Amino acid sequence: QLQLVESGGGLVQPGGSLRLSCAASGFTLDYYGIGWFRQAPGKEREGVSCISSNSRVKNYADSVKGRFTISRDNAKNTVYLQMNSLKVEDTAVYYCGKCRAGGFWYATFDSWGQGTQVTVSS
């Protein structure tokens, strides 16, 4: 199965920006939808975004619409999540994994990586 490595997390102030990267190893991303979910202490896992294999379909959680943008560069075997206007509530460990863009996309994640910590604090 697909092996994925997340990077790009860090500490930012509210209103700041980060770009997360999800790099595949062992397999090409061309055949898979790839997305992001997050896990914060004491909270349920939340699907953040999913992009289809050909980038035709992009799904976002209501909580991040207008602030986050998912994209992919299949030539680099990498998926990105641009995070703007960050809020304290965005603090979580962010994971990327396989997903199926479309209906109930947020329930389709598997084969995720180790995660990267995003902390939003003043």
Side-chain angles (χ1 to χ4, degrees):
Q1 285 282 290
L2 188 62
Q3 183 177 359
L4 300 168
V5 178
E6 301 93 336
S7 63
L11 174 64
V12 297
Q13 295 183 339
S17 297
L18 284 173
R19 187 184 69 171
L20 306 184
S21 297
C22 174
S25 62
F27 296 91
T28 178
L29 292 178
D30 292 4
Y31 307 102
Y32 303 98
I34 303 292
W36 297 85
F37 65 90
R38 62 190 182 185
Q39 182 74 61
K43 298 182 179 179
E44 298 287 337
R45 190 184 80 168
E46 180 184 21
V48 174
S49 187
C50 180
I51 184 169
S52 61
S53 60
N54 63 2
S55 299
R56 180 177 179 181
V57 181
K58 299 176 182 179
N59 299 122
Y60 297 96
D62 289 342
S63 58
V64 307
K65 285 180 180 177
R67 300 189 298 120
F68 292 7
T69 303
I70 192 168
S71 62
R72 64 191 300 156
D73 186 341
N74 287 347
K76 296 182 178 179
N77 224 23
T78 301
V79 173
Y80 304 97
L81 185 68
Q82 179 65 46
M83 309 166 65
N84 297 327
S85 302
L86 283 162
K87 304 175 180 179
V88 173
E89 293 76 23
D90 295 317
T91 296
V93 178
Y94 284 70
Y95 300 87
C96 71
K98 291 171 58 182
C99 59
R100 290 185 284 106
F104 303 104
W105 60 273
Y106 45 82
T108 66
F109 287 93
D110 65 10
S111 303
W112 55 84
Q114 84 288 349
T116 185
Q117 176 71 50
V118 172
T119 302
V120 185
S121 176
S122 60

